[in-house]
Amino acid sequence: MLKAYKYRMYPTKEQEEKFFQHFGACRFIYNWALEQKIKSYEQDGKSISRFDLNKGITILKRDGEHEWLKDVNSQSLQGATLNLDNAFTRFFREKRSFPKFKSKKNPVQAYNVPQNYKVDFENNKIYLPKIGNVKTILHRHYGDGDLKTATVSRTSTGKYYISILVDNGLETPKKSEFSENDTVGIDVGIKDFAITSNGNKIDNPKHLRNSMKRLKVLSKRLSRKQKGSKNRKKARQKIAKIHEKISNQRHDFQHKVSTKLISENQAVVLETLNVSGMLKNHNLAQHISDASWSSFVTKLEYKAEWYGKTILRIGQFEPSTKICNVCGYHNKNITLADRKWQCHDCGTSHDRDVNAAVNIKKFALNTQNLIGI
């Protein structure tokens, strides 16, 4: 089973320069390889393979104009072509967007180290090819697993991290059996972050909204700075630090909630949402982005794989909000403003979100033929 372990790095100034050299070289190779693929398809109607691109890297190094590529770890350069190959695979198989050229203006930079790096837990150092020993806070051990690809990254605030992919040799746990009693339905929202089928409501912390006033002040100051000046760079860094804090708060909150839900239940039921479509509503787009439902669902999915739990889904067009979970009456007149409503047939009073969570669970269990167990 593969797991990633992320550590903070503290490189020297010389090592930072080498990191920037690696970032730039891998970005150059990625853009060069993408250009070669596009030209090959336009001229010959065929796609050039990754192995041919790797041979082309060797030819580039012999060229006097690109001799600087010799100062960069060769396997990291080949990792850039692998990333491009994976991007095209996602484009064709998962219908993702067509691969785009990378820009050096992107505040987040990264490159891969496939092998030949060494981790020293005793001295808190990691040896990287062409870089040397970099001071790293190794706060947790990954055990006796096999080291796979490591990814070195730099955030927009100038912090360096390394993420090490480790194969611990363990097989993915088999899915545990589940029943109606140990299954929970979850309805995500804006007012409340998540509502469970057993009536629990998890408050939405709204990290972005809480920092919006400060962000507006700093953004106004940034707009007044002269372009290209050092003061403008400092102002941009202040904004980046706030966004990084918001991101850390959001991930911390979602990790705690997702771990609790996975540990307390054998199966979790979710509703498939068209988040990209919902973001087109400009009245709710900022609140939806702040909630970051997609990130939360991703955490639930991989933690369920780790612990042998099951994730069930229902279709996005299922009327979970408008159906009475007691008698099945369909209330067609309910609107987004109606937070509570009463069933016309059985007279049951419903909280809109709790009723939706109960129906999400029922729809999924009905599909699994588990209702009544």
Side-chain angles (χ1 to χ4, degrees):
M1 186 166 58
L2 296 175
K3 281 191 176 184
Y5 295 82
K6 192 173 184 179
Y7 306 103
R8 174 84 181 272
M9 306 182 77
Y10 294 88
T12 62
K13 290 185 177 180
E14 294 180 358
Q15 290 173 338
E16 282 191 34
E17 292 179 358
K18 292 182 180 179
F19 277 142
F20 274 106
Q21 191 176 17
H22 277 70
F23 294 146
C26 292
R27 182 179 61 250
F28 169 80
I29 292 297
Y30 184 94
N31 292 339
W32 168 81
L34 178 56
E35 183 182 10
Q36 297 301 312
K37 275 184 169 290
I38 294 174
K39 286 183 178 180
S40 175
Y41 186 80
E42 289 178 349
Q43 295 174 2
D44 304 327
K46 296 181 181 179
S47 176
I48 186 171
S49 68
R50 177 167 61 92
F51 304 101
D52 292 333
L53 290 172
N54 289 339
K55 292 178 182 178
I57 296 176
T58 305
I59 298 174
L60 278 177
K61 290 181 179 179
R62 295 172 185 170
D63 183 7
E65 188 178 353
H66 302 100
E67 285 187 354
W68 51 274
L69 290 173
K70 295 180 180 179
D71 298 330
V72 178
N73 181 23
S74 59
Q75 292 184 339
S76 296
L77 298 179
Q78 294 178 5
T81 61
L82 176 60
N83 290 339
L84 178 63
D85 212 41
N86 293 335
F88 271 101
T89 301
R90 290 191 294 270
F91 169 68
F92 287 112
R93 293 183 181 177
E94 302 176 15
K95 305 302 179 183
R96 301 285 184 88
S97 60
F98 188 83
K100 299 178 182 179
F101 291 97
K102 294 188 176 182
S103 172
K104 65 179 180 181
K105 295 182 179 180
N106 190 340
V108 179
Q109 301 288 340
Y111 79 94
N112 295 336
V113 186
Q115 56 185 4
N116 295 331
Y117 62 92
K118 299 178 182 178
V119 182
D120 185 358
F121 280 96
E122 293 183 1
N123 300 313
N124 277 324
K125 292 181 179 179
I126 292 182
Y127 171 80
L128 297 172
K130 299 286 186 177
I131 304 292
N133 290 313
V134 184
K135 180 182 176 182
T136 309
I137 303 301
L138 301 169
H139 59 281
R140 57 175 176 167
H141 205 290
Y142 48 74
D144 299 327
D146 294 331
L147 300 181
K148 301 297 182 180
T149 302
T151 302
V152 178
S153 60
R154 180 185 184 274
T155 66
S156 57
T157 56
K159 296 178 182 177
Y160 291 85
Y161 294 92
I162 183 169
S163 179
I164 302 176
L165 190 64
V166 180
D167 185 359
N168 56 19
L170 302 176
E171 295 184 0
T172 304
K174 294 182 179 179
K175 299 292 184 183
S176 304
E177 294 184 0
F178 60 92
S179 63
E180 185 177 5
N181 295 329
D182 49 30
T183 300
V184 64
I186 299 176
D187 179 47
V188 293
I190 294 176
K191 181 182 177 183
D192 298 300
F193 177 76
I195 303 91
T196 63
S197 55
N198 49 23
N200 294 331
K201 292 186 177 182
I202 302 171
D203 292 334
N204 188 356
K206 300 179 181 178
H207 300 297
L208 177 61
R209 184 178 178 181
N210 295 337
S211 302
M212 189 56 67
K213 186 176 180 180
R214 181 61 178 166
L215 279 173
K216 287 181 179 179
V217 173
L218 294 178
S219 297
K220 186 175 290 188
R221 291 178 183 175
L222 174 64
S223 66
R224 293 171 180 169
K225 306 298 181 185
Q226 185 178 357
K227 291 185 178 180
S229 66
K230 290 185 178 179
N231 284 335
R232 186 178 178 87
K233 185 177 180 181
K234 292 178 182 178
R236 189 184 293 113
Q237 281 291 307
K238 290 181 179 180
I239 295 176
K241 286 182 179 179
I242 293 183
H243 280 294
E244 183 180 65
K245 180 181 178 180
I246 293 170
S247 177
N248 291 338
Q249 289 175 327
R250 185 180 294 132
H251 284 298
D252 178 69
F253 168 74
Q254 290 184 355
H255 274 299
K256 290 176 179 177
V257 174
S258 58
T259 300
K260 187 174 186 295
L261 290 171
I262 291 297
S263 61
E264 292 179 351
N265 302 280
Q266 296 300 324
V268 176
V269 186
L270 302 169
E271 183 179 15
T272 303
L273 296 175
N274 180 16
V275 178
S276 59
M278 297 171 71
L279 288 174
K280 295 179 181 179
N281 183 342
H282 299 294
N283 294 324
L284 300 175
Q286 187 181 92
H287 300 286
I288 294 172
S289 298
D290 192 12
S292 190
W293 298 329
S294 299
S295 175
F296 175 64
V297 171
T298 300
K299 292 178 177 62
L300 284 174
E301 288 175 338
Y302 72 70
K303 288 179 182 180
E305 289 290 327
W306 287 355
Y307 301 111
K309 305 299 178 68
T310 302
I311 298 292
L312 301 175
R313 287 182 176 272
I314 68 169
Q316 67 185 79
F317 299 111
E318 295 285 356
S320 57
T321 303
K322 299 182 178 182
I323 289 182
C324 172
N325 68 75
V326 178
C327 67
Y329 171 76
H330 190 182
N331 186 359
K332 298 180 181 179
N333 299 322
I334 190 172
T335 63
L336 187 61
D338 299 324
R339 308 313 303 174
K340 294 183 178 180
W341 60 279
Q342 188 172 12
C343 178
H344 293 292
D345 282 0
C346 64
T348 305
S349 297
H350 292 296
D351 180 289
R352 172 196 180 96
D353 297 324
V354 175
N355 178 65
V358 173
N359 281 328
I360 288 172
K361 174 182 175 179
K362 282 193 171 185
F363 292 160
L365 294 181
N366 187 41
T367 304
Q368 298 287 325
N369 296 320
L370 291 177
I371 289 292
I373 291 180

